[in-house]
Amino acid sequence: MVKITIDGRPIEVTESTTILQAAKLLNISIPTLCHHPKLTPFGGCRLCIVEVKGMPKPVTACTTTVSNGMEVTTYSPYLEELRKTVLELILSDHPNDCMVCEQAGSCKLQDLAYDYGIRENRYEGERRIYPNRDGNPFIERDLEKCILCGRCVKVCDEVQGVEAIDFGYRGFRSKICTNYEEDLECEFCGQCVSVCPTGALTGKQWKKKGRKGGQVEVETTCPYCGTGCNITAHVKENEILKITSKEQTWNEGWLCVKGRFGYRFVQSPERLKRPLIKRNGKFEEASWDEALDHVARRLSEIKEKHGADSIGGLSSARCTNEENYAFQKLIRAGIGTNNVDHCARL
Amino acid sequence: MQKNNIEIRVCMGTGGIASGGAEVLDAFRREIESSGIRASVRENCSTHRVGCRGLCAKDVLVDVAIDDEKVTYQYIKPDMVSRIVKEHVLENTPVTEWTVGEEYHNFHKKQVKVVLSDCGRLDPESIDDYIAADGYEAARNVFTSWTPEQVIAEMKASGLRGRGGAGFPTGTKWELARANVNDDKYIVCNADEGDPGAFMDRAVIEGNPHSVIEGMLIGAFAIGSKKGYVYIRAEYPLAVDRLRLAIREATERGFLGKKIFGSELDFEIAVKLGAGAFVCGEETALIASIEGQRGMPRSKPPFPVNKGLWQKPTVINNVETLANIPYIMRKGATWFASYGTEKSKGTKVFALTGKIMNTGLIEVPMGITLQEIIYDIGGGIEGGKKLKAVQTGGPSGGCIPADMLDLNVDYESLAKVGSIVGSGGMIVLNEDDCMVNMAKYFIQFTQEESCGKCVPCRVGTKRLLEIMERVTTGQGKESDLELLEALSASIKVTSLCGLGQTAPNPVLSTLKYFREEFEAHIRDKKCPAKVCKELIIYSVIEDACKGCGACLRACPAGAITGEKKKPHRIDPEICIRCGACFDVCKFKSVGRD
Ligand SMILES: Cc1cc2nc3c(=O)[nH]c(=O)nc-3n(C[C@H](O)[C@H](O)[C@H](O)COP(=O)(O)O)c2cc1C
Ligand code: SF4
Ligand code: SF4
Ligand code: SF4
Ligand code: FES
C-alpha cells in the first residue's frame, strides 16, 4: 500500500493505482476526455494534468501511478490555464455544430467547453474536412468531430478483439481509419459508439429522433441471449429510440450488435404478439390455451402413429439456461426422444 | 628490389558511391590487373573500399598509401585512375595537381576521431579488416575475463553519455537494466536517425558496422541480454546491407550466436527496418514499432529499462553511443574521459552543413568552441559572407547567434543558451538566411512528423505553423509574438513525448535572439534576409535599365513589359517573385526590396 495526498487529503491505495483512480476514491474530479475506466490508459488529451511535488512539470493523472509520499495538486490557476489552452486547441479543430449535433447534451467536449467558458478561441485555424461519409447501416462516423482520443480504437481492440479501426496518417492529418479507408466492415457491435465522448460516432438508427429531452430511461434485460446483458432503453412516446448500457452493470456497459442495434422488432407491425393456428390454409389468431392444446394433441398423435423418434426439438439461444433445461426435459422425458438440439451449436 | 606495401583506399560511403566511388575502385582494380602492372607491384598492392571520412563534398576521395606514406586525392573520376597508377603507384611520384589541398588537412587537424577512427580506413564489408585492427578483442576480453559489474563500472567511469539526444549516462542505463532480473532482456540499437540533415549514424554503420555490433555485444554482456535489435530506417539501403553482412560474418565467426567466445552466453541480433517516421526514434514509439504496432509513444514511467520491448527490460542505445564502446573497452575509461569537459566526456560526431566551406561529418572533443568548429575545421563561411547563427540539435534544438562563438560545445553549455547537442546536426547560417523562415521550416517538419496522439503536439504545432506562415507572408499581427510564446510554453509542458516537448524550441530560441527579424516581418512587412517570397518586391531601377529585354524574356509569369532600349517595368500584381529577372539582369538594374 502507498500513502499519498491529493489536494491535501491523505489516502492509502495499492501500488498500481493511478492518480486519477485515487482521486476518484476521494471524490475529487479531474477533467478527462481520452480516459475510459475500462480501457488501458492512453494519455492523449492531456486534460488530466496534475502537479506532483518535486516533478519538474505536470504529469497526466490517468497514466501516472502513485508512489509513496506523493503530494498531488489537481487544481491551480496554472493547471487551469494549461487545460484551457488544450481545450482551445481541440475546439479550434472542431466544427461549431452543437446546435444540430446528435450528441449535444451528452457530449463530454461540450460539457468541458461549458465548464471552462470557452467562447473566443485564440487559436483559430484550419479545420480537418472529410466530405465522405461511411455507407454502413449502423454507425455514423463524422470524423470532423473526432478528437482522436483513441477510445474507439481501444474498445474495438481490447474489449471486442476485432481491431477494425486504428490511427492513420501523421500530424494534423491524423485520423481514425478503417482498412484502406473503405466503409466500416466489422461486427457493428457499436462499442465504439458507446465510448465516443463526442458526436463523432453516433447510431444511424436514432438520428434525428430527438436528444435527451423528453426521453425516459427504462432499465431492462436484453432478450437476445442467455447472457442477459443489462440494457437501458431510451423511450420517448412509447417508442424505443436507442439502447445503451451503463458502466456499472455486470456486463460493464458492453453490448453486441444485436443488443445495441437490434431493438426495432419491438415496434415492428409484423411482430407476432399472439399465437397463430393454420386453418384451411390460412393463419388465424388463437388464444394460448387453444394453441398449446393444439400442439399437445398433434404431438401425441404423431408419436402414437410414427413413434417418438419422428419428433425433434430445436431450442434457441434466446432462451435462458433454465428454459433450455426444461425444453430438453420435455423432449427427452416427456416425448421420449433424444432428438433435441440448439441453434447455438451450429 | 624490395617491394613496398601499397594500399589504395576508395571512399565508398553513400556520398562516395553517389560521386562514382564504385567506378573509381573498379578502374583501379582493372588498371592494376591489366597490362602486367599486377606483376610489377606483385602481391603487395591492395585496393580497399572504405567508409566516409567526412568531407563528402570532395568525393571521390582516394588514399594511396605506400608503406606509411599516405597521399589523398580528391574529386577522382575513373579516367584519372590510370595516371595515378602509372605515376604514383609504379613510380612513386604523386600526381600533385589532384591531391587534396590545405583545407582537407585543416579540416582534420582539430578533429579527434574515436567513433570515426576506423571509418575511411577499414573495408566495412570485411570482418577480417576489422579483426586485424583489434576488432572484437574488447568483446572477447569482456566475455572471457570480466564481470558485468566491472563492465558497467568501466562505462560509468568513462562518463559516456547517450549520443541519441538526451545525453543519459550509458553506464547508469545499463546498471538499471542489469538490476532488473528477467530471463528475457533486450538491447536495441537506435539507428532511426530522423533529424533532417543528420547522417552521423548512417556514416558509422556504413563505415564500420562491426563497431556497433561489438558495442551491442558488450552491452548485452553487461545487462544480461540474449537478443538484440537494430532499428534502422529503410531509407539507408547501403547501411542496411553492410549491417546485415556484418551480422552474418560475425555469426559465422562465432562472435554472435551460441556460447560466444567459449562462454555459456548466447546473443543474436535482428535487423528491423523502420519506415521513416521521425517519431519512431523516440524510444517508446520505437518499441511499439518493433512490436508491429503503430509508432506512437506512451507515457514514461515505466521506462524501457523496466518495461520495454515485449514488456521486458530493454536498453535502447544510439548507434554512436554503441560504436564508442569497443574503443572505450580497448583503451580504457581514463583514456576516453581525458577528452571532453567535466560533465561531457569524449567526442561527438556532428553533421556540419549550411553556409560553410567544408560541409561534412566531423568528430570533435566535447567542449571545443564553436569558433574552432566553424573557422578551423569548417574553413569559415561560404563566399566570405557574415556568419549569422548556428543551429544545433535539429527540430528539437535552437540557434546560437554569431556573437556567442566562444561557446563550448557540450551538453551543459548548449542547454544554457537554449539549444541542445541533440543527435549532432549543426547548420551554419549566414546573412542570407532568414531566421523566421528557418524556425518555420522546423515547425513544419515536427508538425508533419507528430504521431497525432496528443493534442498540444498534433494541433498546437499546427497552430504554431500557421502563425509562422502568417508572419512570413506579411500577415502577421503584433500580438502574434505573444501568442507564439504562450502557445510554445504550453506545448512544451503538456506534450506527451520528447517530440512535442521540444518542437517549439526553434521558434523560442529565434524569438529570443532574433526578435527584431520577427518584428521586421510583422511591422515593416520586410524580410531582412530577402528569403520570404511574399515580402520581396522586385522592381526595375529605371536609370540603370538598358532596355535589353533579358528580364522580360526570363519572366515566367509575363509580369514584365517594356520596349527595346527603354526602361522596363514589373507589374507587382502579376510578379510571382521567382527572382528570374534579378538573376538574369547583367546591369544589376532589377532591385529587390
Ligand atoms: C522525437 C524523437 C526522435 C528521436 N530520434 C532518435 C534517433 O533517430 N536516434 C536516436 O538514437 N535517438 C533518438 N531519440 C532519442 C531516443 O528516444 C533515445 O533517447 C536514445 O536512442 C537513447 O540512446 P542513447 O542513450 O544512447 O542516446 C529521439 C527522441 C525523440 C523524442
Ligand atoms: S462496431 Fe464494434 S467491431 Fe465495429 S469498429 Fe466499432 S467497436 Fe469495432
Ligand atoms: S471517434 Fe470518438 S472515440 Fe474514436 S477517437 Fe474519435 S472522438 Fe475518440
Ligand atoms: S508529443 Fe507529438 S509525437 Fe509525442 S506523443 Fe504527442 S503527438 Fe505524438
Ligand atoms: S484523460 Fe489523461 S490524458 Fe486524456
Side-chain angles (χ1 to χ4, degrees):
Chain A
M1 293 300 271
V2 168
K3 280 186 189 158
I4 64 167
T5 66
I6 303 181
D7 295 340
R9 293 165 60 192
I11 184 168
E12 204 169 326
V13 288
T14 56
E15 262 164 44
S16 57
T17 312
T18 63
I19 296 177
L20 188 66
Q21 288 165 334
K24 196 161 180 216
L25 295 175
L26 286 170
N27 268 329
I28 295 173
S29 88
I30 298 172
T32 62
L33 260 181
C34 68
H35 181 74
H36 188 286
K38 303 281 191 236
L39 303 173
T40 54
F42 186 64
C45 78
R46 317 306 287 167
L47 281 173
C48 67
I49 44 172
V50 294
E51 286 174 288
V52 174
K53 201 170 169 190
M55 297 241 193
K57 55 181 187 165
V59 298
T60 39
C62 68
T63 59
T64 311
T65 43
V66 293
S67 57
N68 223 352
M70 222 179 211
E71 292 175 39
V72 180
T73 310
T74 67
Y75 284 87
S76 71
Y78 176 57
L79 286 173
E80 290 291 278
E81 186 55 38
L82 289 175
R83 287 176 185 147
K84 192 167 167 215
T85 301
V86 169
L87 273 172
E88 276 180 285
L89 289 173
I90 297 176
L91 290 166
S92 75
D93 183 29
H94 197 84
N96 222 338
D97 247 8
C98 298
M99 273 79 97
V100 292
C101 182
E102 282 298 323
Q103 199 73 4
S106 27
C107 171
K108 279 189 94 171
L109 181 60
Q110 194 186 37
D111 292 348
L112 282 162
Y114 173 85
D115 289 346
Y116 282 82
I118 295 174
R119 190 149 199 213
E120 313 271 272
N121 195 325
R122 289 174 293 171
Y123 304 111
E124 303 271 334
E126 188 190 330
R127 275 207 301 108
R128 291 161 299 155
I129 305 291
Y130 301 123
N132 290 341
R133 285 291 133 97
D134 200 308
N136 80 77
F138 298 110
I139 298 173
E140 189 74 75
R141 302 173 69 230
D142 184 353
L143 295 182
E144 290 176 21
K145 292 180 184 166
C146 170
I147 57 166
L148 289 128
C149 69
R151 283 160 62 143
C152 55
V153 175
K154 282 186 175 284
V155 80
C156 190
D157 170 14
E158 294 172 10
V159 176
Q160 210 58 22
V162 173
E163 300 188 44
I165 43 177
D166 204 345
F167 284 80
Y169 303 106
R170 264 177 275 169
F172 190 67
R173 293 168 63 238
S174 303
K175 182 182 178 189
I176 305 297
C177 293
T178 54
N179 287 343
Y180 305 105
E181 293 205 74
E182 284 168 359
D183 279 357
L184 190 60
E185 204 179 320
C186 62
E187 291 187 357
F188 296 114
C189 61
Q191 305 276 46
C192 50
V193 177
S194 78
V195 296
C196 180
T198 71
L201 300 179
T202 52
K204 286 184 175 166
Q205 285 172 190
W206 51 85
K207 189 173 181 169
K208 292 236 168 89
K209 295 260 179 171
R211 297 193 285 215
K212 266 197 156 166
Q215 294 183 10
V216 275
E217 292 188 0
V218 180
E219 305 299 334
T220 177
T221 306
C222 176
Y224 272 104
C225 78
T227 309
C229 293
N230 291 171
I231 58 176
T232 307
H234 299 251
V235 182
K236 193 173 179 178
E237 286 159 12
N238 215 25
E239 186 192 349
I240 299 179
L241 300 184
K242 74 173 167 187
I243 301 288
T244 60
S245 179
K246 296 187 171 145
E247 231 168 79
Q248 54 274 23
T249 55
W250 70 265
N251 47 303
E252 301 188 334
W254 308 131
L255 295 175
C256 76
V257 59
K258 294 180 287 180
R260 192 183 312 278
F261 294 118
Y263 56 85
R264 289 202 289 194
F265 73 91
V266 176
Q267 259 105 17
S268 168
E270 287 169 18
R271 181 174 161 198
L272 267 188
K273 291 180 180 164
R274 331 189 80 231
L276 303 176
I277 298 178
K278 206 178 222 172
R279 292 187 178 115
N280 307 320
K282 255 183 75 186
F283 279 116
E284 283 173 10
E285 279 199 2
S287 72
W288 279 108
D289 279 346
E290 272 179 280
L292 289 171
D293 285 350
H294 181 72
V295 171
R297 195 183 65 245
R298 289 291 294 130
L299 283 175
S300 310
E301 283 169 14
I302 293 168
K303 181 177 167 186
E304 196 98 334
K305 199 164 165 199
H306 302 286
D309 280 342
S310 60
I311 297 172
L314 187 66
S315 181
S316 164
R318 293 187 61 168
C319 301
T320 61
N321 265 348
E322 292 79 354
E323 287 161 344
N324 276 314
Y325 178 81
F327 182 74
Q328 63 82 34
K329 204 78 182 164
L330 170 74
I331 300 290
R332 289 199 173 108
I335 297 192
T337 175
N338 283 330
N339 293 339
V340 61
D341 214 334
H342 184 279
C343 72
R345 208 175 69 91
L346 298 179
Chain B
M1 166 181 131
Q2 165 89 43
K3 287 283 176 189
N4 299 320
N5 185 37
I6 303 170
E7 264 187 36
I8 298 167
R9 306 185 198 112
V10 180
C11 175
M12 276 186 44
T14 289
I17 289 177
S19 310
E23 291 77 19
V24 170
L25 183 66
D26 259 4
F28 270 106
R29 286 186 175 152
R30 252 183 290 117
E31 200 63 37
I32 290 166
E33 276 321 315
S34 71
S35 57
I37 291 177
R38 179 99 208 172
S40 67
V41 294
R42 251 195 266 125
E43 294 310 310
N44 293 337
C45 179
S46 55
T47 50
H48 300 260
R49 120 196 72 200
V50 296
C52 177
R53 67 202 58 204
L55 206 52
C56 304
K58 302 203 181 294
D59 265 324
V60 175
L61 287 158
V62 175
D63 288 336
V64 175
I66 302 186
D67 289 339
D68 280 335
E69 199 93 355
K70 185 182 86 179
V71 173
T72 305
Y73 293 96
Q74 60 187 11
Y75 304 123
I76 296 306
K77 299 262 169 294
D79 57 11
M80 300 155 89
V81 165
S82 69
R83 189 170 153 204
I84 296 176
V85 171
K86 191 137 86 260
E87 295 179 19
H88 191 173
V89 176
L90 293 181
E91 286 157 25
N92 210 350
T93 27
V95 187
T96 45
E97 59 206 272
W98 294 340
T99 56
V100 292
E102 188 136 3
E103 69 281 0
Y104 180 87
H105 298 292
N106 287 341
F107 178 76
H108 286 104
K109 215 176 274 167
K110 288 214 170 168
Q111 294 195 49
V112 172
K113 300 209 174 184
V114 175
V115 171
L116 298 180
S117 57
D118 288 325
C119 291
R121 223 167 59 77
L122 303 184
D123 181 345
E125 298 186 19
S126 155
I127 195 171
D128 289 320
D129 264 30
Y130 185 66
I131 292 172
D134 291 338
Y136 290 108
E137 263 323 295
R140 182 188 304 279
N141 256 333
V142 160
F143 272 75
T144 49
S145 44
W146 289 58
T147 66
E149 288 70 24
Q150 284 172 321
V151 176
I152 288 168
E154 187 75 2
M155 290 316 299
K156 287 171 93 175
S158 77
L160 176 66
R161 291 168 61 177
R163 302 299 194 229
F168 191 82
T170 307
T172 310
K173 196 184 271 187
W174 288 9
E175 190 174 42
L176 290 168
R178 171 98 212 147
N180 268 310
V181 183
N182 203 310
D183 282 346
D184 295 309
K185 294 185 197 175
Y186 299 99
I187 180 159
V188 178
C189 169
N190 188 344
D192 192 51
E193 194 160 64
D195 285 21
F199 56 103
M200 298 77 57
D201 296 345
R202 192 194 72 200
V204 171
I205 294 182
E206 283 178 4
N208 194 1
H210 288 287
S211 64
V212 180
I213 296 173
E214 192 177 357
M216 287 179 79
L217 251 177
I218 296 168
F221 177 86
I223 68 165
S225 159
K226 291 197 273 281
K227 172 116 194 190
Y229 287 89
V230 181
Y231 187 84
I232 182 168
R233 48 179 36 225
E235 293 95 324
Y236 282 177
L238 181 65
V240 171
D241 285 349
R242 289 192 176 158
L243 181 68
R244 286 193 166 138
L245 174 69
I247 291 173
R248 214 165 42 239
E249 286 189 317
T251 311
E252 279 162 16
R253 302 294 169 101
F255 303 155
L256 293 173
K258 304 256 176 238
K259 300 196 187 296
I260 296 166
F261 300 120
S263 70
E264 284 304 305
L265 303 171
D266 308 337
F267 184 63
E268 56 173 12
I269 297 178
V271 176
K272 279 273 172 182
L273 298 190
F278 175 55
V279 72
C280 285
E282 196 282 336
E283 46 194 17
T284 58
L286 186 150
I287 287 170
S289 181
I290 294 183
E291 289 176 350
Q293 323 254 1
R294 176 181 163 92
M296 269 180 154
R298 57 152 178 80
S299 304
K300 293 184 279 193
F303 291 95
V305 284
N306 298 319
K307 261 190 187 167
L309 190 57
W310 321 115
Q311 303 291 314
K312 307 288 181 187
T314 301
V315 159
I316 297 173
N317 275 135
N318 166 260
V319 171
E320 191 186 331
T321 313
L322 290 165
N324 265 300
I325 287 159
Y327 297 98
I328 296 175
M329 297 310 289
R330 241 181 265 167
K331 301 187 183 175
T334 324
W335 162 81
F336 184 80
S338 70
Y339 296 109
T341 64
E342 196 197 329
K343 288 188 173 154
S344 306
K345 298 293 187 201
T347 59
K348 175 79 193 87
V349 182
F350 287 97
L352 189 60
T353 55
K355 306 286 167 52
I356 185 129
M357 293 301 294
N358 304 331
T359 55
L361 207 63
I362 61 168
E363 182 171 358
V364 289
M366 289 275 192
I368 189 171
T369 65
L370 269 182
Q371 167 87 29
E372 289 171 287
I373 291 184
I374 291 168
Y375 290 96
D376 299 343
I377 297 173
I381 309 304
E382 211 180 50
K385 298 231 175 173
K386 237 178 89 195
L387 172 73
K388 189 181 214 169
V390 182
Q391 208 283 345
T392 65
S396 317
C399 60
I400 301 158
D403 57 16
M404 292 191 181
L405 268 188
D406 48 5
L407 190 78
N408 301 97
V409 177
D410 58 61
Y411 293 113
E412 283 69 33
S413 309
L414 288 195
K416 213 178 290 165
V417 301
S419 192
I420 55 167
V421 171
S423 60
M426 192 176 271
I427 306 167
V428 178
L429 305 162
N430 73 8
E431 53 199 285
D432 294 337
D433 290 300
C434 170
M435 300 307 289
V436 184
N437 190 59
M438 185 222 44
K440 182 181 84 176
Y441 164 77
F442 281 119
I443 277 293
Q444 184 167 2
F445 176 82
T446 36
Q447 156 55 215
E448 282 167 7
E449 294 294 330
S450 157
C451 83
K453 182 170 183 174
C454 72
V455 176
C457 174
R458 182 184 73 239
V459 189
T461 58
K462 171 75 177 173
R463 300 299 171 235
L464 272 186
L465 176 61
E466 286 172 343
I467 301 171
M468 295 298 281
E469 273 165 352
R470 284 210 294 268
V471 173
T472 52
T473 54
Q475 284 154 55
K477 292 177 290 215
E478 201 73 28
S479 56
D480 280 345
L481 293 184
E482 275 161 51
L483 206 56
L484 279 176
E485 278 164 339
L487 182 53
S488 294
S490 296
I491 295 173
K492 276 174 78 92
V493 288
T494 53
S495 287
L496 191 160
C497 86
L499 191 149
Q501 287 160 7
T502 58
N505 287 354
V507 173
L508 285 175
S509 84
T510 38
L511 259 175
K512 180 169 166 194
Y513 295 116
F514 296 94
R515 202 177 182 92
E516 70 290 348
E517 268 193 50
F518 280 85
E519 288 166 350
H521 283 76
I522 292 171
R523 283 185 203 148
D524 316 333
K525 311 289 176 209
K526 289 262 173 277
C527 173
K530 309 259 186 293
V531 170
C532 300
K533 256 190 182 182
E534 274 79 359
L535 303 182
I536 300 174
I537 297 170
Y538 288 97
S539 60
V540 174
I541 305 160
E542 291 204 5
D543 295 346
C545 175
K546 301 271 192 270
C548 71
C551 57
L552 188 150
R553 286 190 296 277
C555 176
I560 304 180
T561 50
E563 289 171 36
K564 265 217 143 67
K565 308 228 161 131
K566 292 208 178 124
H568 282 43
R569 213 189 84 78
I570 301 175
D571 186 338
E573 297 295 317
I574 304 176
C575 170
I576 55 165
R577 296 159 167 107
C578 68
C581 54
F582 183 86
D583 294 337
V584 84
C585 180
K586 280 191 276 211
F587 310 104
K588 297 211 181 311
S589 311
V590 177
R592 184 167 69 172
D593 191 32

